């Protein structure tokens, strides 16, 4: 038997993993990180022997407190990430650590996806999807986890492994666990013999329902092995650990149309639901009047809402999907005809345009961010959900609105999946004043149950609804659930206090305190959406963990817990600061728009001494000299055997510190690049179309051995492409002294950054003739930096368009170029900056023009090279790129491209392949 994983009792690990998306907080006594099924079995054996509870956790996006414990927390986020597509995508075998987004990305080429579609799909993992019986906006009760799971493999508390893909599964269970097998058989017989129990179960599970155990399995299956497998679904880690599962996937229709139907009031909106359901809409999302008021203020909100004078209105966001365009057109026409008969309060039209559809969904998906981000200081955003029969939806919504008024929740909003009778409500609460929440919860429970509803539809029972399971099901079925728990987990070691509890006030205990720390991150709701995109997630900390450690540090200092405070302070310089790439990818995933890099940069600035700050300020004033010197140094080092400069930098790092001296690493080019000189580029006879600002990284890091026909990297390639397209560009005089400021801001050198930004604004204002010409930048991260720097000109009334070179080339050069010979295949590494700029589509378009086949690794993400961060901490880039590098190795191509010089170096380090700027490849195929 494999040894059990070690138990980490360090304060930093325990505090970093104690927080999840719920409003509860329990500090684990220890953390285990099992890597495979055998280690899980060994861990369970140890926990049974020691009678210590254990809770399994992966994504930590659950809202009901089911991923919390004060005992042993088993973190499976870093393992169990396997995804195996089967039968052309008809089925997929997945591990519990894989995110839903990753699974769907691997299914997308086959036109398939998983049935469950929760809003947390970027961060929630398969383990949580199974544990919570996830559904979502379109899944209903036909495409949820319970209905689409084909088989699962799980480890019981006893160590027995159940694999329902094995035809002998039931016989093996009977042999290994005779009492469990017989007990489930007897329970099923007892339930089936009780007509009232059957009636209650069928009624409860005719709606979305994640309250208690999925005891419909006792009616739906005859073999105890299948009963147990389906009881595990939705059991929130209280019955078994699921080590892998096979799902039947669902088709992704090729065409989609979306529209927002605004009606005069909530009554008319809910009254329209039977007719809308009959027409088979894929989604019918409800927004109440308060939701519409919030949505009006959202950036990018659609005209249907912004033009509305909300006076008690309600809206339904409708979506139709079809593979055949003609069929979709017919469905849209029927929908629009139906809408006209409902007396809408605003014009209704469905659209297939992706930008308009995105704007419409902003009205729905942006609600949580808007309300949570604007919550009063010291309060917590609580997102709850219930389900009722659709005919009872209007009365339930009206009742909830009355409760909001009665209990003083003035800013609460209601929205949800109306066709399923599943509504969510979002409210702000000061958890240190728990009496109001407790009273509201009692009234809400009574309201929902009086309307024949379920107290949890999607978010799981957790701790928040565990005291009310018996109220929903009655004593007899509640007793059945208790017997199931006792049969499967007789020692009670798996996640006690979740789903079932003896404590009638369990939902009011262990509430998470609100600790305000820093302006940059105080809006954080600890949802964890940032974690899958964070490059340091498998090495040190994630953005959520960086934030919660700052909060827990403050709390420890206030309470006098000096041991915890000291441990966090000692670990944070490396785990929190040095290994943060400050790439901003966390902001792209954060529902309230937090860029944890802003916090890290400020903390780095506070740590830097005055001598270091003065040195960087001096460098900003002599940037031409600095970049020339770096270029010369690169060439000098390249002329030597690599071992010599590597040894020299190694000695300097040992003496001065790894955060101050970059390592000389194998991916670095053998020479520096050309000095950036002012003057014209491209077709001399043409009128100047744009100002070209070459990035300084091209001077410091010359092009690689596959530099192409130009030999001058991206700046040279852009000049050649402009010449071939008949376009004129102008490089500003003094360009060699300019920089976007990112090298200074990433290290927290605010004075140096502001000095450079001032110089940059002055130079580009003159070069663009006060914004008459756009600025084209040939490194994506530098484009992002220049955009930020020129915000100061906007405040002065001068607007300068800044555009990345890949976007400029796609729009203005590619249509004029002749592709002479495409390469057979190319691997593309998008970057954090192409993501932030919205330029990834342009990057891929250029790659598609240059190659017969374009490969984008599913696991691509930030390479964490981040200027010199990959040279300061090579272990960060190695960790960040491990999954992507494995994909690249498994699928060789003829060329490898990106859109940023340092990212090209990072991917070279990760894969051993020579990455270059996509413009260099385009220049090659148009030669």
């Amino acid at each position: 038997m494999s040894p059990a994983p070690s138990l980490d009792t360090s304060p930093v690990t325990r505090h970093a993993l104690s927080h999840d998306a719920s409003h509860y907080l329990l500090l684990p006594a220890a953390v285990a990180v099992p890597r495979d099924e055998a280690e899980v079995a060994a861990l369970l054996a140890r926990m049974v022997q020691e009678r210590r509870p254990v809770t399994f956790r992966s994504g930590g996006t659950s809202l009901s407190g089911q991923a919390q414990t004060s005992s042993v927390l088993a973190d499976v986020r870093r393992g169990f990430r396997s995804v195996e597509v089967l039968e052309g995508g008809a089925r997929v075998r997945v591990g519990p650590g894989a995110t839903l987004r990753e699974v769907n990305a691997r299914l997308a080429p086959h036109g398939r996806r998983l049935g469950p579609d929760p809003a947390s799909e970027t961060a929630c993992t398969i383990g949580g999807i199974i544990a919570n019986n996830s559904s979502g906006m379109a899944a209903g009760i036909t495409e949820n986890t319970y209905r689409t799971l084909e088989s699962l493999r799980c480890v019981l508390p006893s160590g027995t492994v159940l694999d329902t893909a094995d035809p002998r599964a039931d016989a093996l269970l009977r042999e290994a666990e005779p009492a469990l097998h017989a007990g489930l058989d007897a329970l099923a017989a007892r339930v089936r013999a009780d007509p009232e129990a059957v009636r209650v179960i069928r009624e409860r599970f005719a709606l979305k329902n994640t309250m208690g155990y999925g005891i419909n399995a006792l009616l739906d299956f005859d073999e105890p092995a299948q009963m147990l497998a389906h009881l595990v679904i939705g059991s929130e880690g209280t019955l078994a650990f699921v080590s892998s599962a096979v799902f039947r996937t669902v088709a992704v229709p090729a065409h989609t149309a979306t529209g927002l139907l605004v009606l005069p009031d909530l009554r008319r909106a809910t009254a329209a639901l039977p007719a809308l359901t009959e027409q088979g809409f894929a989604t019918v999302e409800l927004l109440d009047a308060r939701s519409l008021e919030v949505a009006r203020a959202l950036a990018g909100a659609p005209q249907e809402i912004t033009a509305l004078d909300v006076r008690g209105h309600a809206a339904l966001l409708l979506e139709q999907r079809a593979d055949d365009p003609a069929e979709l057109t017919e469905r849209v026409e029927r929908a629009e005809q139906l809408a006209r008969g409902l007396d809408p309060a605003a014009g209704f039209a469905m659209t297939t345009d992706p930008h308009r559809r995105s704007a419409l969904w902003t009205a729905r998906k942006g609600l949580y961010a808007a309300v949570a981000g604007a919550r009063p200081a010291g309060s917590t955003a609580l997102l709850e959900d219930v389900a009722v029969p659709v005919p009872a939806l209007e009365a339930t919504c009206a009742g909830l609105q009355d409760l909001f008024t009665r209990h003083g929740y003035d800013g609460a909003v209601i929205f949800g999946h109306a066709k399923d009778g599943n509504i969510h409500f979002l409210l702000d609460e000061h958890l240190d004043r728990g009496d109001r929440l407790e009273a509201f919860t009692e009234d809400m429970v009574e309201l929902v149950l009086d309307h024949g509803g379920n107290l949890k539809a999607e978010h799981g029972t957790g701790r928040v609804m565990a005291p009310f399971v018996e109220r929903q099901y009655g004593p007899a079925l509640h007793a059945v659930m208790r017997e199931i728990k006792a049969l499967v987990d007789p020692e009670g070691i798996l996640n006690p206090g979740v789903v079932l509890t003896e404590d009638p006030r369990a939902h009011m205990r262990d509430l998470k305190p609100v600790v305000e720390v820093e302006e940059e991150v105080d809006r954080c709701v600890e949802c964890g959406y940032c974690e899958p995109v964070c490059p340091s997630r498998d090495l040190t900390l994630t953005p959520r963990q960086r934030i919660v450690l700052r909060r827990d540090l403050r709390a420890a200092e206030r309470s006098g817990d000096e041991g915890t405070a000291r441990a966090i302070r000692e670990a944070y310089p490396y785990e929190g600061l040095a290994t943060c790439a400050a790439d901003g990818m966390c902001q792209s995933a954060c529902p309230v728009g937090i860029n944890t890099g802003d916090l890290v940069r400020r903390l780095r600035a506070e740590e830097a001494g005055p001598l270091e700050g003065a040195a960087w300020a001096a460098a900003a004033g002599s940037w031409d000299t600095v970049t020339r010197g770096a270029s010369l140094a690169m060439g000098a080092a390249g002329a030597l055997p690599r071992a010599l400069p590597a040894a020299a930098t190694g000695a300097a790092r040992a003496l001065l510190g790894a955060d101050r001296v970059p390592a000389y690493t194998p991916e670095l080019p053998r020479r520096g690049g050309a000095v950036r000189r002012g003057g014209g580029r491209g077709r001399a006879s043409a009128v100047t179309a744009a100002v070209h600002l070459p990035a300084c990284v091209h001077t410091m890091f010359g092009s690689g051995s596959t530099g192409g026909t130009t030999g001058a990297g991206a700046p040279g390639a852009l000049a050649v492409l402009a010449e071939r397209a008949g376009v004129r560009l102008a490089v500003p005089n003094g360009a060699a002294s300019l920089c976007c400021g990112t090298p200074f801001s990433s290290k927290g050198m605010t004075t140096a950054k502001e000095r450079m930004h001032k110089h940059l604004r002055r130079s580009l204002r003159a070069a663009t003739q006060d914004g008459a010409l756009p600025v084209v930048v040939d490194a994506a991260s530098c484009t992002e930096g220049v955009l930020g720097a020129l915000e100061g000109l906007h405040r002065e009334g001068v607007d300068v368009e800044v555009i990345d070179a890949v976007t400029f080339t796609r729009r203005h050069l590619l249509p004029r170029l002749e592709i002479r010979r495409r390469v057979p295949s190319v691997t593309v590494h998008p970057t954090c900056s192409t993501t932030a700029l919205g330029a990834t589509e342009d990057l891929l378009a250029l790659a598609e023009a240059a190659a017969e086949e374009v490969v984008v690794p599913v696991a691509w993400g930030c390479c964490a090279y981040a200027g010199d961060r990959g040279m300061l901490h090579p272990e960060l880039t190695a960790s960040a790129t491990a999954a992507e590098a494995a994909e690249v190795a498994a699928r060789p191509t003829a060329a490898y491209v990106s859109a940023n010089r340092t990212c090209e170096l990072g991917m070279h380090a990760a894969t051993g392949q020579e990455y270059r700027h996509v413009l260099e490849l385009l220049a090659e195929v148009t030669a």
Side-chain angles (χ1 to χ4, degrees):
M1 185 176 183
S2 296
S6 60
L7 298 184
D8 187 345
T9 59
S10 67
V12 172
T13 301
R14 292 162 53 224
H15 280 268
L17 283 165
S18 63
H19 294 250
D20 68 2
S22 75
H23 57 280
Y24 296 96
L25 182 61
L26 289 90
L27 180 65
V31 173
V33 185
R35 299 290 179 173
D36 56 34
E37 186 182 88
E39 288 194 359
V40 168
L43 174 66
L44 289 174
R46 177 177 174 180
M47 296 298 99
V48 169
Q49 181 181 15
E50 297 177 5
R51 296 184 180 274
R52 296 181 71 181
V54 60
T55 294
F56 290 95
R57 164 185 165 141
S58 185
T61 61
S62 296
L63 294 164
S64 300
Q66 55 266 66
Q68 302 249 333
T69 182
S70 58
S71 183
V72 175
L73 185 72
D75 176 19
V76 298
R77 175 177 59 92
R78 300 185 184 186
F80 302 95
R81 291 177 180 167
S82 60
V83 180
E84 182 184 0
V85 177
L86 307 170
E87 296 179 13
R91 298 157 61 241
V92 62
R93 178 179 290 111
V94 290
T99 64
L100 175 58
R101 170 165 287 186
E102 180 184 358
V103 177
N104 282 341
R106 295 191 183 278
L107 290 170
H110 306 280
R112 311 288 293 185
R113 65 170 177 82
L114 284 186
D117 61 337
S120 57
E121 57 100 15
T122 58
C124 69
T125 63
I126 299 302
I129 284 171
I130 295 171
N132 292 314
N133 189 21
S134 293
S135 50
M137 296 186 187
I141 59 171
T142 58
E143 294 181 351
N144 62 9
T145 306
Y146 185 92
R147 295 298 177 189
T148 59
L149 187 131
E150 179 178 283
S151 66
L152 61 73
R153 185 177 172 92
C154 64
V155 186
L156 302 181
S158 62
T160 296
V161 175
L162 171 69
D163 185 354
T164 60
D166 189 332
R168 303 169 300 152
D170 195 63
L172 292 172
L173 180 65
R174 183 190 299 111
E175 179 182 338
E177 304 276 353
L180 171 58
H181 188 279
L184 290 174
D185 213 9
L187 275 178
R190 190 172 93 206
V191 168
R192 294 178 186 193
D194 183 346
E196 177 61 12
V198 172
R199 181 193 68 78
V200 171
I201 291 172
R202 292 304 185 200
E203 283 186 0
R204 294 298 102 211
F205 289 93
L207 304 173
K208 284 186 176 183
N209 183 19
T210 59
M211 276 291 283
Y213 290 135
I215 51 176
N216 52 328
L218 301 177
L219 304 181
D220 294 343
F221 299 95
D222 294 325
E223 291 186 346
Q226 288 293 341
M227 293 177 197
L228 178 55
H230 287 79
L231 284 166
V232 167
I233 297 170
S235 66
E236 303 175 31
T238 64
L239 297 180
F241 170 74
V242 177
S243 56
S244 70
V246 176
F247 284 85
R248 295 180 296 274
T249 64
V250 300
V252 178
H255 305 281
T256 304
T258 310
L260 189 73
L261 177 61
V262 181
L263 293 161
D265 52 44
L266 187 62
R267 181 187 62 79
R268 295 196 215 186
T270 53
L273 290 174
L276 294 170
T277 302
E278 188 176 334
Q279 285 214 5
F281 283 92
T283 62
V284 182
E285 293 293 297
L286 173 70
L287 295 86
D288 73 349
R290 172 61 181 154
S291 296
L292 291 172
E293 290 171 355
V294 171
R296 288 184 67 200
L298 294 173
Q303 189 271 341
E304 291 91 334
I305 289 182
T306 56
L308 186 66
D309 181 15
V310 180
R311 297 176 181 272
H313 296 87
L316 297 167
L317 182 62
L318 308 175
E319 193 157 275
Q320 285 282 22
R321 302 169 184 170
D323 284 321
D324 182 4
E327 181 185 352
L328 183 65
T329 299
E330 181 182 340
R331 290 185 181 185
V332 167
E333 288 173 353
R334 290 203 309 267
E336 292 176 348
Q337 181 179 1
L338 174 63
R340 285 192 291 272
L342 295 174
D343 190 24
F348 175 76
M350 301 194 76
T351 179
T352 57
D353 178 80
H355 298 292
R356 289 188 60 201
R357 290 185 55 242
S358 177
L360 288 165
W361 275 106
T362 295
R364 164 64 175 87
K365 293 186 175 180
L367 289 174
Y368 179 76
V371 175
R375 68 189 185 277
S379 68
T380 299
L382 303 181
L383 180 61
E384 301 295 346
D385 82 310
V386 298
V388 295
V390 170
L393 193 58
E394 179 196 353
T396 304
C397 290
L400 281 172
Q401 290 172 332
D402 288 343
L403 291 182
F404 297 153
T405 300
R406 187 190 315 167
H407 293 281
Y409 292 114
D410 298 330
V413 300
I414 296 175
F415 54 92
H417 319 313
K419 72 182 179 67
D420 301 313
N422 175 199
I423 52 176
H424 302 261
F425 52 92
L426 182 62
L427 44 84
D428 296 325
E429 180 59 278
H430 289 267
L431 294 177
D432 55 349
R433 310 168 195 168
D435 290 350
R436 177 173 70 164
L437 179 61
E438 186 170 12
F440 169 82
T441 301
E442 285 291 333
D443 288 345
M444 182 272 294
V445 166
E446 183 177 351
L447 170 71
V448 172
L449 294 181
D450 282 352
H451 288 296
N454 292 325
L455 298 173
K456 278 294 171 186
E458 294 184 321
H459 297 169
T461 309
R463 299 174 184 279
V464 73
M465 281 292 129
F468 305 98
V469 172
E470 184 171 358
R471 297 249 306 258
Q472 176 167 307
Y473 287 97
L477 289 177
H478 186 243
V480 168
M481 294 182 188
R482 290 198 169 280
E483 289 181 56
I484 290 169
K485 173 68 172 175
L487 282 169
V488 181
D489 182 20
E491 301 296 334
I493 66 162
L494 284 181
N495 218 7
V498 168
V499 179
L500 301 175
T501 182
E502 299 283 357
D503 183 357
R505 296 194 71 247
H507 60 303
M508 298 306 301
R509 305 193 194 283
D510 303 307
L511 300 179
K512 184 186 295 181
V514 176
V515 181
E516 295 178 315
V517 182
E518 277 109 0
E519 181 182 353
E520 297 97 329
V521 297
D522 277 344
R523 289 175 294 117
C524 176
V525 294
E526 302 180 10
C527 64
Y529 287 16
C530 56
E531 293 192 335
V533 299
C534 176
S536 62
R537 65 189 179 278
D538 291 334
L539 179 66
T540 52
L541 300 173
T542 67
R544 169 167 62 179
Q545 292 169 347
R546 287 183 169 91
I547 291 169
V548 301
L549 282 179
R550 297 286 295 175
R551 289 174 170 172
D552 287 3
L553 170 61
R554 179 67 56 84
E557 290 172 339
R558 289 176 177 172
S559 67
D561 183 358
E562 182 53 33
T564 295
R566 185 188 317 110
I568 295 174
R569 283 196 294 264
E570 289 174 353
Y572 209 84
Y574 176 74
E575 297 196 21
L577 302 184
T579 53
C580 174
D583 60 353
M585 284 294 280
C586 49
Q587 186 174 28
S588 70
C590 177
V592 294
I594 293 172
N595 183 347
T596 312
D598 292 338
L599 168 66
V600 167
R601 282 185 285 269
R602 180 174 62 76
L603 294 177
R604 286 174 182 167
E606 293 175 0
E607 281 199 343
L611 289 178
E612 191 174 355
W616 278 97
S622 307
W623 198 239
D624 182 9
T625 303
V626 171
T627 55
R628 287 174 191 249
S631 178
L632 290 171
M634 194 64 64
L640 299 172
R642 283 196 179 271
L644 293 179
T649 58
R653 285 163 63 83
L655 179 65
L656 301 174
D659 284 323
R660 288 185 168 84
V661 181
Y664 186 79
T665 46
E667 72 275 5
L668 292 177
R670 287 290 193 173
R671 55 190 172 87
V675 174
R676 298 172 292 163
R677 303 187 187 281
R681 304 287 193 276
R683 185 68 57 87
S685 59
V687 176
T688 300
V691 171
H692 174 205
L693 178 62
C696 56
V697 290
H698 298 300
T699 297
M700 292 186 278
F701 304 107
S703 60
S705 59
T706 57
T709 58
T710 70
L718 180 59
V720 166
L721 293 170
E723 169 67 32
R724 291 172 185 163
V727 172
R728 184 69 169 170
L729 304 174
V731 176
N733 292 325
S737 67
L738 300 178
C739 175
C740 67
T742 300
F744 311 105
S745 63
S746 67
K747 296 181 181 299
M749 300 300 162
T750 306
T751 301
K753 180 196 72 173
E754 291 302 329
R755 180 175 184 177
M756 179 57 75
H757 278 185
K758 185 176 181 180
H759 179 36
L760 184 69
R761 287 193 291 267
R762 185 170 56 248
S763 177
L764 292 183
R765 180 171 184 174
T768 63
Q769 302 166 38
D770 279 345
L773 296 173
V775 174
V776 179
V777 187
D778 53 25
S781 63
C782 303
T783 307
E784 196 178 359
V786 172
L787 270 169
L790 296 194
E791 288 177 1
L793 284 182
H794 177 73
R795 291 190 292 270
E796 296 172 13
V798 178
D799 289 317
V800 177
E801 180 187 9
V802 179
I803 184 170
D804 190 73
V806 297
T807 302
F808 179 83
T809 300
R810 183 190 183 190
R811 291 179 186 173
H812 302 290
L813 306 185
L814 185 59
R816 304 182 184 189
L817 295 172
E818 180 183 353
I819 307 296
R820 297 183 181 275
R821 52 182 182 84
R822 300 168 83 193
V823 298
S825 56
V826 62
T827 294
V828 179
H829 172 71
T831 74
C832 14
S833 290
T834 61
T835 301
L837 295 167
T840 298
E841 185 179 329
D842 300 315
L843 170 63
L844 297 180
L846 296 187
E848 288 164 358
E852 299 289 342
E853 181 187 10
V854 175
V855 177
V856 180
V858 170
W860 83 265
C862 174
C863 68
Y865 211 79
D868 64 354
R869 189 66 34 184
M871 292 180 282
L872 293 170
H873 294 285
E875 73 278 13
L876 176 59
T877 290
S879 177
T881 57
E884 182 177 0
E887 278 194 68
V888 171
R891 176 66 176 86
T893 53
Y896 300 83
V897 300
S898 190
N900 202 71
R901 184 69 185 115
T902 52
C903 298
E904 294 154 23
L905 295 175
M907 290 310 299
H908 184 183
T911 66
Q913 300 293 343
E914 188 93 47
Y915 278 72
R916 51 182 164 153
H917 200 287
V918 70
L919 297 186
E920 297 179 69
L921 178 61
L922 192 62
E924 181 180 301
V925 301
T926 57

